[in-house]
Amino acid sequence: MLTRFWTGMLLIAVLGAIVLQLAAPGSALVALVAGFVLVVAGTLLVGRVSHTPAALPALVATLCEMRHTRRTKTEGVLQLSGFLQAATHFRYGKIRPAEDAARQIPDPVLRRGTLLVFDGFQRPQLAIALQRPMAEERELLLRPVDLLRAMAGYAPSLGMFGTLLGLLQMLFGAGGGDVHQMGAAMGFAMITTVYGLVFSNLLLKPLAAQVEQRNRRQLALGLMAVQAVMMLYDRHHPEYIRDVLNNRRVSQAAPQTGFSSVVGFAR
């Protein structure tokens, strides 16, 4: 219901911008505002219609999360305190405290893998069980990037639509001889192209690149979580696990390899 509401609001904004420009062809301020609303609201509307209903809210949530993690300086960091506490209890045979500590692990892959180790899963079973959450996480991470790149292509098209609309308005008004009206229509035609190019190349494409880089770091953290689970299965000392994971640089991991690293742990 909420998604339909915002879709309707975007559609009303686009139609309102067109009607406003046609109703007040001689106003430069109207041309600037109407062109901006047409390009921005139109891009969001086409992106909403061309993707799943959850894509646009997921994009907003991703951008908010990126801002929060940058502000708190937790981006690209695997939280190991709860895991190491669980691993310490498990090493000394304290299963119940270990399970309680494992349930407090914030990372879902690390939490699930730790609990599976405590439940007695074998190495091949662990690798298979961890593939699904990593696949789901990868799919969720790709949606905002796909939407941003799609909207980066829609924005110049909306700008061109505004340009054609302004040119038609200028030609229709040429018979009246109103130079002021023709100039405002020509300004609307040009400014929508500018809006489309700026919105696409200076906002959407850089955002897509930033989200993609953030996704690589998130997938790298997932692979680090799998490595931590496998070392826990091998009953390595918690301090050794911490040293190994802290010495790894997230940016040097290779999440693009898919599940090859995960499957490799099962051999």
Side-chain angles (χ1 to χ4, degrees), residues 61-229:
T62 298
L63 296 178
C64 293
E65 182 182 353
M66 288 176 59
R67 181 180 179 183
H68 174 72
T69 53
R70 287 180 179 178
R71 185 172 55 188
T72 57
K73 298 181 180 180
T74 58
E75 186 177 12
V77 178
L78 186 64
Q79 302 296 328
L80 294 175
S81 57
F83 171 77
L84 294 175
Q85 184 180 1
T88 302
H89 290 309
F90 179 67
R91 180 176 178 83
Y92 293 104
K94 302 177 181 179
I95 302 300
R96 182 60 61 84
E99 291 179 345
D100 293 338
R103 293 188 181 94
Q104 305 301 321
I105 298 175
D107 185 83
V109 176
L110 189 59
R111 180 175 63 251
R112 175 177 172 81
T114 303
L115 291 173
L116 291 178
V117 171
F118 295 163
D119 289 338
F121 277 58
Q122 299 300 313
R123 182 180 289 267
Q125 297 172 322
L126 281 174
I128 295 174
L130 293 178
Q131 286 181 7
R132 181 174 179 179
M134 290 190 64
E136 293 175 349
E137 181 181 9
R138 183 177 183 275
E139 181 65 23
L140 292 176
L141 291 175
L142 287 177
R143 290 179 185 176
V145 178
D146 292 340
L147 179 58
L148 283 172
R149 295 197 182 281
M151 290 195 301
Y154 300 148
S157 300
L158 268 297
M160 183 59 64
F161 171 75
T163 299
L164 295 176
L165 182 64
L167 291 176
L168 288 175
Q169 187 180 13
M170 183 183 66
L171 292 175
F172 286 141
D178 190 344
V179 179
H180 182 67
Q181 177 179 341
M182 293 174 59
M186 188 63 181
F188 175 80
M190 296 296 101
I191 197 63
T192 52
T193 300
V194 174
Y195 284 148
L197 293 176
V198 170
F199 194 45
S200 173
N201 295 285
L202 298 185
L203 180 63
L204 295 177
K205 288 183 179 179
L207 273 180
Q210 292 181 14
V211 174
E212 190 173 14
Q213 293 173 5
R214 176 253 185 185
N215 292 348
R216 291 196 182 101
R217 291 191 290 268
Q218 291 296 112
L219 292 175
L221 289 178
L223 294 179
M224 291 175 61
V226 173
Q227 183 183 12
V229 170

Side-chain angles (χ1 to χ4, degrees), residues 78 80 224 227-228 231 241-248:
L78 186 64
L80 294 175
M224 291 175 61
Q227 183 183 12
M231 288 191 292
I241 298 176
R242 183 182 63 180
D243 291 341
V244 170
L245 296 181
N246 286 340
N247 289 332
R248 289 191 58 184

